[in-house]
Amino acid sequence: MIAFDEPFLLALEAQRRSAHARAKQERYLALLQAQPGQRVLDLGCGGGDLCRALAPLVAPGGRVIGVDSAPEAVALARRLADGAAPDGPTFERADGHQLPFADGAFDRAVCISVLAFCEDPGRVLAELRRTLGADGRLLVAQSDEDTRVYNGHDRELGRRIMRAIADRGRDPWLARRLVQLLTTAGFRSVEELVLTDVERRFTPDAGGHIVAHAWRKYLLEVAGIPEQDYVRWLADLEACAQEGTYCYSVTTYAYVVER
């Protein structure tokens, strides 16, 4: 699997500042309906971008806690939140399979782009349900990895690299089974969304450009893609951008459920 070290986490933070990612985050925040005074858990918080967006929504009197199993993520999130308001988010290292919180500790929870990397997603969802109060609401979202595509001239090369990227987690198809997993965990569905990102610019501020470069270490060192092939793939994407045929797209399944 991909390593969530600091350089990769910083790249994800940059990707979350892209236009499509920001628009998606606004949708998520609206669906979560966090209110002042509520307690919110962000499972798999990464560098803490979503936590920092949530904190003002639950102020005054609320609390946002971000947890991640990667110590690098917790350290980065704390550093990026340094100097925030006293009611800003806090961050802890924790395993989603066994959360260190009491039953009913939270009013809201989010779990975004996490479950496909978990050994037992059903257990993680059960833990999230346990830590939510009686009227608790969970937002869970996951990309369908085989819908993550770039346009290129070399189809064989593009398919090989996209297959490697899709397989960077434990289960690239988990998004397709989220309904069943949530139902088994005991949640009641409130809303289902299918969100598709489409980008036509291969520029440093675009999400597709950021993650294409961020995956370099994983593709070369874990997936076994030769460096010359990776460089050739990036050049192909640049060529498509120059001629106006570039496209990056991915589909995300998102669910709002209640305990």
Side-chain angles (χ1 to χ4, degrees), residues 67-90:
V67 301
D68 204 292
S69 61
E72 297 87 350
V74 176
L76 176 63
R78 287 173 176 168
R79 190 169 81 242
L80 293 177
D82 187 39
D87 54 0
T90 59

CSV table of all heavy atoms in Angstrom, one decimal, residues 67-90:
chain,number,residue,atom,x,y,z
A,67,VAL,N,-8.4,12.1,14.1
A,67,VAL,CA,-7.5,10.9,14.5
A,67,VAL,C,-7.0,10.3,13.2
A,67,VAL,O,-7.6,10.3,12.1
A,67,VAL,CB,-8.3,9.9,15.3
A,67,VAL,CG1,-8.8,10.5,16.6
A,67,VAL,CG2,-9.4,9.3,14.5
A,68,ASP,N,-5.8,9.8,13.3
A,68,ASP,CA,-5.2,9.1,12.2
A,68,ASP,C,-4.2,8.0,12.7
A,68,ASP,O,-3.6,8.2,13.8
A,68,ASP,CB,-4.4,10.1,11.3
A,68,ASP,CG,-4.3,9.6,9.9
A,68,ASP,OD1,-3.5,8.6,9.6
A,68,ASP,OD2,-4.9,10.2,9.0
A,69,SER,N,-4.1,6.9,12.0
A,69,SER,CA,-3.2,5.8,12.4
A,69,SER,C,-1.8,6.1,12.1
A,69,SER,O,-0.9,5.5,12.7
A,69,SER,CB,-3.6,4.5,11.8
A,69,SER,OG,-3.5,4.6,10.4
A,70,ALA,N,-1.5,7.1,11.2
A,70,ALA,CA,-0.2,7.4,10.8
A,70,ALA,C,0.4,8.5,11.7
A,70,ALA,O,-0.2,9.6,11.7
A,70,ALA,CB,-0.1,7.9,9.3
A,71,PRO,N,1.5,8.3,12.4
A,71,PRO,CA,2.0,9.3,13.3
A,71,PRO,C,2.4,10.6,12.5
A,71,PRO,O,2.4,11.7,13.0
A,71,PRO,CB,3.2,8.7,14.0
A,71,PRO,CG,3.5,7.5,13.1
A,71,PRO,CD,2.3,7.0,12.5
A,72,GLU,N,2.9,10.4,11.2
A,72,GLU,CA,3.3,11.5,10.4
A,72,GLU,C,2.1,12.5,10.2
A,72,GLU,O,2.2,13.7,10.1
A,72,GLU,CB,3.9,11.1,9.1
A,72,GLU,CG,5.1,10.3,9.2
A,72,GLU,CD,4.9,8.8,9.4
A,72,GLU,OE1,3.7,8.4,9.6
A,72,GLU,OE2,5.9,8.0,9.3
A,73,ALA,N,0.9,11.9,10.0
A,73,ALA,CA,-0.3,12.7,9.8
A,73,ALA,C,-0.7,13.5,11.0
A,73,ALA,O,-1.0,14.7,10.9
A,73,ALA,CB,-1.5,11.8,9.4
A,74,VAL,N,-0.6,12.9,12.2
A,74,VAL,CA,-0.9,13.6,13.4
A,74,VAL,C,0.0,14.7,13.6
A,74,VAL,O,-0.4,15.9,14.0
A,74,VAL,CB,-1.0,12.6,14.6
A,74,VAL,CG1,-1.2,13.4,15.9
A,74,VAL,CG2,-2.0,11.6,14.4
A,75,ALA,N,1.3,14.5,13.4
A,75,ALA,CA,2.3,15.5,13.6
A,75,ALA,C,2.1,16.7,12.7
A,75,ALA,O,2.2,17.8,13.0
A,75,ALA,CB,3.7,14.9,13.4
A,76,LEU,N,1.8,16.4,11.4
A,76,LEU,CA,1.6,17.4,10.4
A,76,LEU,C,0.3,18.2,10.7
A,76,LEU,O,0.3,19.4,10.7
A,76,LEU,CB,1.5,16.8,9.0
A,76,LEU,CG,1.1,17.8,7.9
A,76,LEU,CD1,2.2,18.8,7.7
A,76,LEU,CD2,0.9,17.0,6.6
A,77,ALA,N,-0.7,17.5,11.1
A,77,ALA,CA,-2.0,18.2,11.4
A,77,ALA,C,-1.8,19.2,12.6
A,77,ALA,O,-2.3,20.3,12.6
A,77,ALA,CB,-3.1,17.2,11.7
A,78,ARG,N,-1.1,18.7,13.6
A,78,ARG,CA,-0.8,19.6,14.8
A,78,ARG,C,0.0,20.8,14.3
A,78,ARG,O,-0.3,21.9,14.8
A,78,ARG,CB,-0.1,18.8,15.8
A,78,ARG,CG,-1.0,17.8,16.6
A,78,ARG,CD,-0.2,16.9,17.5
A,78,ARG,NE,-1.1,16.0,18.3
A,78,ARG,CZ,-0.6,15.0,19.0
A,78,ARG,NH1,0.7,14.7,19.0
A,78,ARG,NH2,-1.5,14.2,19.7
A,79,ARG,N,1.0,20.6,13.5
A,79,ARG,CA,1.8,21.7,13.1
A,79,ARG,C,1.0,22.7,12.2
A,79,ARG,O,1.2,23.9,12.4
A,79,ARG,CB,3.0,21.2,12.3
A,79,ARG,CG,4.1,22.3,12.0
A,79,ARG,CD,5.4,21.7,11.4
A,79,ARG,NE,5.3,21.4,10.0
A,79,ARG,CZ,5.4,20.2,9.5
A,79,ARG,NH1,5.6,19.2,10.3
A,79,ARG,NH2,5.4,20.0,8.2
A,80,LEU,N,0.2,22.2,11.3
A,80,LEU,CA,-0.6,23.1,10.5
A,80,LEU,C,-1.6,23.9,11.2
A,80,LEU,O,-2.1,24.9,10.8
A,80,LEU,CB,-1.2,22.3,9.3
A,80,LEU,CG,-0.3,21.7,8.3
A,80,LEU,CD1,-1.0,20.9,7.2
A,80,LEU,CD2,0.6,22.8,7.6
A,81,ALA,N,-2.1,23.3,12.4
A,81,ALA,CA,-3.1,23.9,13.2
A,81,ALA,C,-2.5,24.8,14.3
A,81,ALA,O,-3.2,25.5,15.0
A,81,ALA,CB,-4.0,22.9,13.8
A,82,ASP,N,-1.2,24.9,14.3
A,82,ASP,CA,-0.5,25.6,15.4
A,82,ASP,C,-0.9,27.1,15.2
A,82,ASP,O,-0.8,27.7,14.1
A,82,ASP,CB,1.0,25.5,15.2
A,82,ASP,CG,1.8,26.1,16.4
A,82,ASP,OD1,1.3,26.0,17.5
A,82,ASP,OD2,2.8,26.8,16.1
A,83,GLY,N,-1.2,27.7,16.3
A,83,GLY,CA,-1.6,29.1,16.3
A,83,GLY,C,-3.1,29.3,16.1
A,83,GLY,O,-3.6,30.5,16.0
A,84,ALA,N,-3.8,28.2,15.9
A,84,ALA,CA,-5.3,28.4,15.7
A,84,ALA,C,-6.0,28.9,17.0
A,84,ALA,O,-5.4,28.9,18.0
A,84,ALA,CB,-5.9,27.0,15.3
A,85,ALA,N,-7.2,29.2,16.8
A,85,ALA,CA,-8.0,29.7,18.0
A,85,ALA,C,-8.0,28.6,19.1
A,85,ALA,O,-7.9,27.4,18.8
A,85,ALA,CB,-9.4,30.0,17.5
A,86,PRO,N,-8.3,29.0,20.3
A,86,PRO,CA,-8.3,28.0,21.4
A,86,PRO,C,-9.4,26.9,21.2
A,86,PRO,O,-9.2,25.8,21.7
A,86,PRO,CB,-8.7,28.9,22.6
A,86,PRO,CG,-8.2,30.3,22.3
A,86,PRO,CD,-8.4,30.4,20.8
A,87,ASP,N,-10.4,27.2,20.5
A,87,ASP,CA,-11.4,26.2,20.2
A,87,ASP,C,-11.2,25.5,18.9
A,87,ASP,O,-12.1,24.9,18.3
A,87,ASP,CB,-12.8,26.8,20.2
A,87,ASP,CG,-13.0,28.0,19.3
A,87,ASP,OD1,-12.0,28.4,18.6
A,87,ASP,OD2,-14.1,28.6,19.3
A,88,GLY,N,-9.9,25.5,18.4
A,88,GLY,CA,-9.6,24.9,17.2
A,88,GLY,C,-9.5,23.3,17.4
A,88,GLY,O,-9.7,22.8,18.5
A,89,PRO,N,-9.2,22.6,16.3
A,89,PRO,CA,-9.2,21.1,16.4
A,89,PRO,C,-8.0,20.6,17.1
A,89,PRO,O,-7.0,21.3,17.2
A,89,PRO,CB,-9.2,20.7,14.9
A,89,PRO,CG,-8.5,21.8,14.2
A,89,PRO,CD,-9.0,23.1,14.9
A,90,THR,N,-8.2,19.4,17.7
A,90,THR,CA,-7.1,18.7,18.3
A,90,THR,C,-6.9,17.4,17.6
A,90,THR,O,-7.8,16.9,16.9
A,90,THR,CB,-7.4,18.4,19.8
A,90,THR,OG1,-8.6,17.6,19.9
A,90,THR,CG2,-7.5,19.7,20.6
